[in-house]
Amino acid sequence: MLKTNVAVLVSGGGTNLQALMDAERDGRIQSGTIKLVISSQPGAYALTRAENAGVRTAVVHKATLGSQEAFEAEILRLLSEHQIELIVLAGFMSILSADFTSRFPNRILNVHPSLIPAFCGKGYYGLKVHEEALKKGVKVTGATVHFVNEIPDGGEILLQKAVEVQDGDTPEILQRRVMEQAEWLLLPQATEMTAKKIAMKKE
Ligand code: GAR
């Protein structure tokens, strides 16, 4: 079976990218191949992780390019150059326009660190999500992998996993538990599921 070409879009530390590359290396992702990592931040540690794994990297910096349109045009150019068929947002902190997302229906995955529809949408990203969960006093949180459409965190849900909140949690401690117990498992799983569907259509 021909593998699906995958691009991973990142902005920060890249632990979810690492989970994806590890899953490809040990065969939990076998229907897709990570061809390209695009970072919206020049110094992101995710870029080092990709280089260490021998994956091609690119930086697309909105402030340097000057507009959302130019930013998305550059991402589109890279995706087409590398014949990318599946886009995985793994800690990508930029919102993509409807013009962009409508070009890839059911071809963009995102991992979000809560049980959607809780603590999601515009303004809810990274540590902020866990801060809000702790403020609210929820006893259970988790992670969600969903398809991306024009509504921030609003696309079809593929996988979710619950994680317990514990007494004394800080946002950092809770973030780490949600990553370890949910995100790093769900994102590779959803990527394999989706890459497999795309690969089967190519047969
Ligand atoms: C992850 O917790 C991811 O779910 C979250 O940012 C973190 C990135 O960590 N994404 C969002 O909040 C998107 N709305 P990483 O760079 O180590 O993968």
Side-chain angles (χ1 to χ4, degrees):
M1 195 165 63
L2 272 176
K3 291 196 183 196
T4 297
N5 290 338
V6 179
V8 184
L9 273 54
V10 297
S11 301
T15 65
N16 280 286
L17 166 67
Q18 192 66 57
L20 289 166
M21 296 188 303
D22 292 350
E24 183 179 350
R25 192 197 53 218
D26 67 26
R28 280 172 296 129
I29 293 178
Q30 47 178 299
S31 306
T33 170
I34 301 168
K35 285 267 178 199
L36 178 67
V37 168
I38 301 176
S39 175
S40 64
Q41 291 301 326
Y45 186 63
L47 290 166
T48 306
R49 293 180 187 273
E51 282 155 18
N52 289 342
V55 177
R56 293 279 297 271
T57 61
V59 173
V60 180
H61 191 223
K62 187 153 66 181
T64 306
L65 290 163
S67 69
Q68 181 73 16
E69 289 71 25
F71 173 70
E72 293 186 355
E74 180 57 8
I75 296 175
L76 285 172
R77 191 191 66 72
L78 287 162
L79 297 176
S80 137
E81 181 182 311
H82 293 269
Q83 299 176 317
I84 299 303
E85 300 161 290
L86 174 63
I87 302 161
V88 180
L89 309 185
F92 186 64
M93 298 306 181
S94 234
I95 289 182
L96 295 164
S97 73
D99 176 64
F100 187 100
T101 59
S102 64
R103 293 169 192 255
F104 303 99
N106 297 346
R107 293 287 185 277
I108 312 176
L109 293 174
N110 179 46
V111 62
H112 183 78
S114 74
L115 294 173
I116 290 175
F119 311 113
C120 67
K122 205 163 179 278
Y124 284 93
Y125 55 86
L127 215 48
K128 170 90 178 156
V129 179
H130 304 291
E131 283 166 10
E132 292 301 317
L134 289 176
K135 238 188 248 169
K136 187 70 193 174
V138 293
K139 302 300 174 201
V140 173
T141 183
T144 302
V145 179
H146 62 93
F147 282 126
V148 173
N149 64 11
E150 71 286 357
I151 303 156
D153 298 323
E156 185 193 336
I157 291 171
L158 278 168
L159 296 172
Q160 284 189 308
K161 190 164 184 283
V163 173
E164 268 184 33
V165 178
Q166 291 175 13
D167 286 350
D169 271 353
T170 62
E172 290 80 5
I173 291 171
L174 183 57
Q175 178 182 52
R176 182 75 190 182
R177 189 178 312 116
V178 168
M179 285 175 158
E180 283 177 355
Q181 295 185 7
E183 294 184 51
W184 299 341
L185 308 173
L186 295 190
L187 191 60
Q189 230 178 300
T191 300
E192 170 58 20
M193 274 166 49
T194 312
K196 193 172 185 175
K197 275 194 192 150
I198 298 170
M200 280 164 57
K201 279 193 189 150
K202 295 198 282 188
E203 287 282 278

